[in-house]
Amino acid sequence: MPTIYLLNGPNLNLLGKRQPEIYGSETLEDVERLCRAALPEGWDLRALQSNWEGQLIDWIHEARDHAAGIVINPGAFTHTSVAILDALNAYEGPVIEIHISNVHKRESFRHHSYVSLRADGVIAGLGIEGYVAGVRRVCSTR
Ligand code: DQA
């Protein structure tokens, strides 16, 4: 069964409680529920969150053998992590980068993304709907 890896990085476990004026009041559980509801028949989702860069890298490595695509919100690691970029470069399927907020409307340090050097698509500023669009895109490109 094709499986999408839905990866969320640091602080996204606090979604719904953290800066709701920027990130909204919906939680990561809501994100997972919406993404599952968007899956075509016969598809599965592995939804994972970590505050640890190395853990995210290990999951990206795992995805090499198990994932039909990766939908990833790397949080602040977006702007800092060459290591996550390298891990994604070692993955061959589609990668969609998600940001809940419009990072381009925010501080300049959020305007650069290492992950965008690898991502096949980037969605920013659509709130948690962006994750659903990312999942739909992976399913339709297979
Ligand atoms: C974020 C944007 C990042 O700049 C920030 O560090 C996050 C969340 C977003 O979803 O808008 O943690 O990736």
Side-chain angles (χ1 to χ4, degrees):
M1 176 182 292
T3 300
I4 296 178
Y5 273 42
L6 176 65
L7 301 181
N8 276 285
N11 301 305
L12 289 160
N13 53 314
L14 297 180
L15 196 60
K17 300 181 194 132
R18 163 201 189 204
Q19 297 182 282
E21 68 285 3
I22 296 176
Y23 299 112
S25 56
E26 288 140 313
T27 65
L28 212 48
E29 288 71 43
D30 295 325
V31 170
E32 183 176 341
R33 185 175 44 75
L34 289 176
C35 288
R36 278 191 193 284
L39 289 176
E41 189 73 34
W43 282 71
D44 199 6
L45 188 78
R46 182 154 155 71
L48 301 161
Q49 186 278 331
S50 180
N51 296 321
W52 295 82
E53 189 175 17
Q55 176 63 84
L56 292 163
I57 291 166
D58 285 346
W59 285 330
I60 295 166
H61 292 176
E62 183 187 301
R64 283 162 49 82
D65 292 325
H66 299 285
I70 296 175
V71 175
I72 182 168
N73 183 345
F77 292 146
T78 306
H79 319 297
T80 61
S81 182
V82 175
I84 288 178
L85 170 63
D86 285 350
L88 289 169
N89 277 331
Y91 173 74
E92 288 183 358
V95 174
I96 310 295
E97 175 184 349
I98 308 293
H99 300 289
I100 297 165
S101 65
N102 181 0
V103 284
H104 301 289
K105 209 177 169 185
R106 301 181 63 193
E107 304 97 322
S108 60
F109 65 83
R110 295 184 203 274
H111 298 174
H112 177 261
S113 166
Y114 285 102
V115 171
S116 293
L117 292 168
R118 166 62 180 88
D120 299 295
V122 182
I123 299 168
L126 297 193
I128 69 169
E129 279 174 44
Y131 290 95
V132 176
V135 164
R136 291 213 169 102
R137 180 67 183 174
V138 169
C139 296
S140 68
T141 52
R142 192 174 158 94

